[in-house]
Amino acid sequence: ELFSGTSGKMASNAEAVPDTSDESSENSSAAQKREDRLRKFRELHFKRNEARKLNHQEVVEEDKRLKLPANWEAKKARLEWELKENARKKECAENGEDYDRVKLLEISAEDAERWERKKKKKNPDPGFSGYAEAQLRQYQRLSRQIKPDMETYEKQREECGEDFFPTSNSLIHGTHVPTKEGLDRMVADVEKQIEKRAKYSRRRAYNDDSDIDYINERNAKFNKKAERFYGKYTAEIKQNLERGTAV
């Protein structure tokens, strides 16, 4: 009975002692969770500061871009291209090379053909802007139509000798006599130009109520052209002359 009573007390004491291993594991897991939460919080805080810094930098850059001129990007690209071109020219000059030739060697055949087609598509005639420009365009058009005769060229070069390439001491002015074929070709070309102009000239409708300020048809055309270019500047003077109030 005594032994049994003692064993019962020991069992009851064993049940009353708490399990410390379970409590330590729970405390360690809670500490680990708290540490994980703090680490995530620090990461979020770091990301927020980084985003704030990047946003501020972007706002500053955008403000700089808004203060720049509208065509700043094109100007910047142009300046960069000019700097590169100047550096290439300097390099070619130091190496004793022709810059234009080196540049043409870098252009592919496809690009050259594409640029040539692009040039042909453009209309080179901007319309009438003055007699000098119209004469220049006609000269360029006639020059493109010239087909050189190499046999006549070689024959004339043999006849002239060194004077074929004149210098300041050469006296060949007035010695050239054009051939009959050349004169016929010039006459045919002039007649062709006259015929072409005749097709494009059309008579304007005659207005009976218009003022008669011309002496013939040619003078009427000249007056119309003068009115078209200078009418707005001379309108007041013309009105004063018609009223008789000009001073």
Side-chain angles (χ1 to χ4, degrees):
E1 290 178 359
L2 182 60
F3 180 76
S4 62
T6 304
S7 61
K9 286 181 181 181
M10 291 178 62
S12 62
N13 291 333
E15 290 177 357
V17 175
D19 192 352
T20 57
S21 61
D22 294 340
E23 290 182 359
S24 60
S25 62
E26 289 178 0
N27 292 334
S28 61
S29 62
Q32 184 67 29
K33 288 180 180 179
R34 186 172 60 256
E35 187 65 28
D36 293 340
R37 289 183 185 135
L38 290 174
R39 180 174 53 79
K40 289 181 180 179
F41 178 76
R42 284 194 297 269
E43 290 178 356
L44 290 174
H45 186 70
F46 176 77
K47 289 180 179 179
R48 187 188 66 178
N49 291 337
E50 188 70 19
R52 184 184 299 168
K53 183 179 178 182
L54 293 175
N55 288 337
H56 179 70
Q57 291 177 356
E58 188 63 27
V59 168
V60 172
E61 292 296 327
E62 185 178 1
D63 184 63
K64 287 182 180 178
R65 288 195 299 268
L66 292 175
K67 290 180 180 178
L68 292 173
N71 57 346
W72 167 249
E73 294 295 334
K75 282 185 177 180
K76 183 180 178 182
R78 178 71 181 178
L79 291 173
E80 291 177 354
W81 178 81
E82 288 180 355
L83 289 175
K84 290 181 181 178
E85 290 294 307
N86 292 334
R88 291 287 305 280
K89 287 180 181 178
K90 187 176 180 181
E91 183 181 355
C92 292
E94 291 176 355
N95 297 332
E97 299 175 343
D98 187 4
Y99 171 74
D100 295 331
R101 184 177 179 84
V102 172
K103 187 176 180 180
L104 288 174
L105 290 174
E106 296 177 356
I107 299 175
S108 62
E110 292 90 2
D111 293 339
E113 187 176 357
R114 186 176 68 254
W115 291 338
E116 195 65 26
R117 288 198 305 267
K118 202 173 185 182
K119 262 196 231 173
K120 289 181 180 179
K121 286 181 181 179
K122 291 182 179 178
N123 182 16
D125 187 4
F128 182 82
S129 56
Y131 291 102
E133 289 79 3
Q135 186 177 8
L136 176 60
R137 289 198 301 273
Q138 184 181 15
Y139 169 76
Q140 293 174 347
R141 178 175 56 81
L142 295 176
S143 300
R144 287 194 295 268
Q145 294 176 0
I146 294 176
K147 296 179 181 179
D149 187 358
M150 299 308 297
E151 294 181 0
T152 306
Y153 174 80
E154 294 293 339
K155 183 180 178 181
Q156 188 176 0
R157 187 171 68 172
E158 291 177 359
E159 292 176 355
C160 296
E162 295 181 356
D163 292 335
F164 187 75
F165 301 101
T167 61
S168 59
N169 298 323
S170 300
L171 298 174
I172 60 173
H173 179 70
T175 60
H176 173 69
V177 179
T179 61
K180 186 176 182 301
E181 292 80 5
L183 291 174
D184 293 340
R185 188 167 59 249
M186 184 188 69
V187 170
D189 186 72
V190 172
E191 290 178 350
K192 185 178 178 182
Q193 293 180 38
I194 294 173
E195 183 181 358
K196 186 176 180 181
R197 282 198 297 268
K199 290 180 180 178
Y200 283 102
S201 64
R202 58 184 179 85
R203 290 188 66 86
R204 271 64 173 177
Y206 181 73
N207 185 10
D208 294 331
D209 298 331
S210 62
D211 296 333
I212 299 176
D213 56 354
Y214 54 89
I215 57 176
N216 52 34
E217 187 175 356
R218 185 175 180 183
N219 181 244
K221 291 181 179 178
F222 176 82
N223 290 344
K224 286 181 180 179
K225 289 180 181 177
E227 179 68 22
R228 186 163 61 247
F229 286 100
Y230 305 106
K232 60 182 180 180
Y233 305 110
T234 60
E236 186 177 355
I237 299 174
K238 188 176 180 181
Q239 291 172 4
N240 291 334
L241 290 171
E242 290 175 352
R243 291 193 302 264
T245 58
V247 292

